[in-house]
Amino acid sequence: MQALQFIIALVLIMQRSIRGLAVADKEHVYPEVGEALRKAREDAGMSQDQLAESSGISRITISRIEQAHINPSFRSLEALAQGMGRKLTISFDVLDE
């Protein structure tokens, strides 16, 4: 289920990027990613400190992602997923018209 939430969040990011929005633009922070990360971390029974230790991503960065203050890079998402013993999956689904 957590992998599905990561996929959904990433698809939303990719859809917005395809529409011409810059993912790194501070005006376009995607809270779905932070929500999916927090849920996956809690489902894994990990604190932010534990995830920071296992992923190599600072606790401050994890907190800022979860609170939708920043967008993580795909490299950071991959490290976070691996830190939770998960695989990051990206999907390019067809848009509903």
Side-chain angles (χ1 to χ4, degrees):
M1 190 65 161
Q2 297 82 9
L4 176 62
Q5 289 174 336
F6 264 131
I7 292 168
I8 291 168
L10 291 173
V11 168
L12 289 171
I13 288 172
M14 295 309 300
Q15 288 174 348
R16 290 173 181 162
S17 295
I18 290 167
R19 292 180 188 138
L21 300 175
V23 173
D25 188 333
K26 289 184 180 183
E27 294 178 10
H28 297 100
V29 176
Y30 304 111
E32 302 90 350
V33 176
E35 292 167 11
L37 173 60
R38 182 190 49 75
K39 177 144 180 31
R41 178 181 58 76
E42 289 174 351
D43 288 349
M46 299 179 82
S47 67
Q48 288 181 347
D49 286 326
Q50 290 169 321
L51 180 55
E53 179 70 28
S54 65
S55 67
I57 305 295
S58 75
R59 186 202 56 78
I60 299 290
T61 298
I62 293 168
S63 176
R64 293 188 74 205
I65 294 167
E66 289 184 359
Q67 294 176 14
H69 293 291
I70 60 171
N71 290 318
S73 68
F74 285 107
R75 184 169 289 170
S76 293
L77 286 172
E78 185 174 52
L80 291 164
Q82 289 176 355
M84 291 182 281
R86 301 172 192 274
K87 180 176 78 171
L88 181 64
T89 306
I90 300 170
S91 175
F92 293 94
D93 294 330
V94 177
L95 295 174
D96 293 331
E97 294 192 31

